[in-house]
Amino acid sequence: MTAKIDWYNEFVDFNYTPAKDDLICLYYFEPAKGITEKEAIGRIASESSAGTWTTLHDLPPRVEKIKARAFELNGKYVKIAYPIDLWEPGNAPQLLSGIAGNIFGMKALRNLRLIDLSFPRQYIKSFKGPGQGIEGIRSLLKIKERPITGAVPKPKIGFSAAEHADVAYETWMGGFDLVKDDENLTSTSFNRFEDRLMRMAKLRDKAEKETGEEKDALLNITGETKEMIRKAKLLHDSGWRFAMIDVVTCGTASVQTMRDECGDLGLAIHAHRAMHAAFDRNPRHGLSMYFLAKLMRLIGVDEIHSGTAIGKLVGSKKEVTQIARVLRDYKIEDGDMLSQDWGSIKPALPVSSGGLHPGLIPSVMSILGNDCTLLVSGGIHGHPEGTRAGAKAVMQAIEASMDGTDLNEFAIKNKELKQALGKWEYYRPK
């Protein structure tokens, strides 16, 4: 009699009913050649929880209680339940090491994609969520209904601190709320963070005095965590109320640390998703942007880039809408994704960016509504009359959209919008 070698099938149980405090993952999978579907999903559940490649001589009884179970199979989609005792409270890196760890390197799987994860209330309670959230950001900027507006000085990197600040001033004077660093601008030899911060603070105060409006910036503090803490304190001391972090490149551990630090300083966290497409662009493998957005809301960002559906970056209308819902709603109960009750976790703002201009504003707002941040950069700086006129054109497009007025009609009495439409019309970048 040949001894049994593996025990992967013991992690498949189609009669299992998940407990209310189980974490539930939804995966798309493709078995490698010669591997059955049951063998594949057993390996996913095993390797991401309490299994190994072979049977063992001794096992504590506890293992039977804490092992994950693949309990529902629908074509190439499987749901796996993970008992709460597998997870350390408040530890996002450990969570990813399980549900998105070794399983992606198993030879038995040709492709694997983590689509969604439903967090139980008990697990959620160990995380803080957004410090400011949608209401907090609106309160900081004193904006009640319309979308928040912001722009990156373009080109994305290359300006001196003084040049950067001058573009910021023109952006604010055109009616925009925020000026944003791009993802690869931190502190360079020609644009030091401290210099940029101070020059912009002076022009922010000038713009606020001249317009009577709140003005702020999304200054990029991305870096080693202790350095981010130092820069966050500089932001606070100079009167800024936001901090920008490239959350994927920094990692969940540093984001959790910065959630605490920024929370103490009263800073809202703007999350740039740079590098996300390295693992979410392939629809058959990696992690979904939906899952990433959900995780970032849990660990505490206040707004995060979610796509436009009509701009220059990848992301369908359906995906962008789903991401906006999981960021803003307190409960998700229908649709293609797993149910989610966020409990007391605050909503976060979806951020639309990448190839926008005034002619596309109505389309973006029809998808995202008013509770969003619109980042329009090249689409204001490329205006025939310059940055200030470009920002005015966007504000006019927002006003027309909220009033339900056609842009061409609104442009008759608004020259900045008319000039913008004359250049771009309704062009969608590729």
Side-chain angles (χ1 to χ4, degrees):
M1 181 177 178
T2 303
K4 183 179 179 182
I5 295 178
D6 70 55
W7 58 319
Y8 292 125
N9 286 349
E10 295 181 27
F11 289 79
V12 180
D13 185 355
F14 296 131
N15 294 315
Y16 179 73
T17 300
K20 67 177 183 179
D21 58 359
D22 281 356
L23 281 74
I24 309 296
C25 279
L26 173 63
Y27 292 97
Y28 169 86
F29 72 100
E30 295 176 8
K33 186 177 181 180
I35 302 294
T36 68
E37 290 181 346
K38 185 176 181 181
E39 289 171 335
I41 63 177
R43 281 162 170 77
I44 299 170
S46 170
E47 189 67 26
S48 58
S49 64
T52 187
W53 68 274
T54 187
T55 54
L56 301 175
H57 181 68
D58 292 309
L59 283 175
R62 184 183 304 106
V63 173
E64 181 61 28
K65 296 180 180 179
I66 66 169
K67 70 182 185 182
R69 292 168 174 83
F71 68 94
E72 184 177 312
L73 179 63
N74 183 10
K76 298 299 183 185
Y77 296 87
V78 62
K79 292 181 182 178
I80 298 178
Y82 296 87
I84 190 72
D85 287 341
L86 283 168
W87 311 111
E88 178 183 352
N91 190 335
Q94 186 243 359
L95 175 69
L96 290 175
S97 294
I99 63 171
N102 280 356
I103 51 177
F104 282 96
M106 298 188 76
K107 292 190 293 184
L109 296 166
R110 182 182 179 190
N111 281 302
L112 179 67
R113 184 170 176 83
L114 174 54
I115 298 172
D116 192 10
L117 167 58
S118 180
F119 302 110
R121 291 289 293 274
Q122 182 178 338
Y123 189 72
I124 282 178
K125 289 179 181 178
S126 64
F127 293 88
K128 295 183 178 180
Q132 297 290 338
I134 295 175
E135 290 186 9
I137 289 176
R138 287 195 174 281
S139 178
L140 288 175
L141 296 173
K142 297 181 180 178
I143 298 170
K144 293 183 178 180
E145 296 181 3
R146 66 165 173 82
I148 311 300
T149 55
V152 179
K154 296 289 185 176
K156 62 197 306 176
I157 191 167
F159 286 127
S160 68
E163 292 164 343
H164 190 106
D166 287 342
V167 175
Y169 176 74
E170 289 299 305
T171 302
W172 286 320
M173 292 304 295
F176 270 32
D177 311 302
L178 304 170
V179 175
K180 175 186 168 296
D181 289 348
D182 230 332
E183 73 278 3
N184 56 340
L185 175 61
T186 53
S187 188
T188 64
S189 61
F190 51 85
N191 191 340
R192 295 293 185 193
F193 178 84
E194 290 82 358
D195 191 15
R196 182 167 76 253
L197 177 151
M198 296 307 298
R199 289 177 181 275
M200 289 181 66
K202 290 179 181 179
L203 291 180
R204 172 203 64 203
D205 295 344
K206 185 173 187 288
E208 287 185 338
K209 184 177 180 180
E210 292 174 347
T211 64
E213 301 167 349
E214 297 291 320
K215 304 297 180 182
D216 222 288
L218 309 174
L219 291 160
N220 189 6
I221 64 172
T222 296
E224 187 275 329
T225 306
K226 289 181 180 179
E227 177 67 1
M228 287 199 289
I229 293 172
R230 184 186 75 84
K231 288 179 178 175
K233 291 176 180 177
L234 290 178
L235 291 175
H236 171 265
D237 293 345
S238 297
W240 300 107
R241 294 163 294 178
F242 291 80
M244 173 181 151
I245 301 173
D246 295 341
V247 292
V248 177
T249 62
C250 284
T252 53
S254 66
V255 175
Q256 285 188 263
T257 297
M258 295 313 300
R259 163 61 179 87
D260 289 342
E261 295 292 334
C262 289
D264 290 343
L265 296 171
L267 300 175
I269 296 177
H270 175 90
H272 196 291
R273 60 179 182 168
M275 205 178 86
H276 73 100
F279 54 76
D280 73 19
R281 183 167 181 172
N282 183 345
R284 297 161 60 188
H285 191 77
L287 312 177
S288 72
M289 183 60 214
Y290 182 90
F291 166 75
L292 176 63
K294 195 172 190 176
L295 180 64
M296 288 300 159
R297 176 179 175 180
L298 180 73
I299 65 177
V301 308
D302 296 282
E303 58 179 25
I304 183 169
H305 293 235
S306 57
T308 66
I310 59 174
K312 67 179 183 180
L313 302 176
V314 172
S316 67
K317 179 179 179 180
K318 179 180 180 181
E319 179 189 39
V320 171
T321 302
Q322 288 176 329
I323 293 171
R325 287 187 60 207
V326 83
L327 290 173
R328 297 185 301 204
D329 292 359
Y330 276 102
K331 287 187 177 181
I332 304 294
E333 297 178 333
D334 55 13
D336 299 330
M337 297 303 184
L338 301 174
S339 61
Q340 182 63 61
D341 184 341
W342 281 106
S344 61
I345 297 290
K346 293 178 182 177
L349 271 178
V351 177
S352 180
S353 65
L356 297 182
H357 58 78
L360 297 181
I361 295 299
S363 296
V364 176
M365 290 179 62
S366 71
I367 295 171
L368 291 176
N370 293 350
D371 271 335
C372 64
T373 294
L374 299 178
L375 294 181
V376 189
S377 302
I380 69 167
H381 305 310
H383 189 280
E385 295 295 324
T387 294
R388 188 181 301 204
K392 287 182 179 180
V394 170
M395 300 307 292
Q396 292 161 6
I398 290 174
E399 183 179 352
S401 298
M402 293 185 69
D403 291 343
T405 305
D406 178 77
L407 286 192
N408 285 308
E409 179 182 343
F410 202 78
I412 294 174
K413 297 183 178 180
N414 293 276
K415 67 175 184 178
E416 292 86 3
L417 178 58
K418 184 176 181 179
Q419 290 170 326
L421 293 177
K423 177 173 182 176
W424 292 297
E425 296 183 326
Y426 302 97
Y427 174 73
R428 297 189 177 189
K430 296 178 177 61

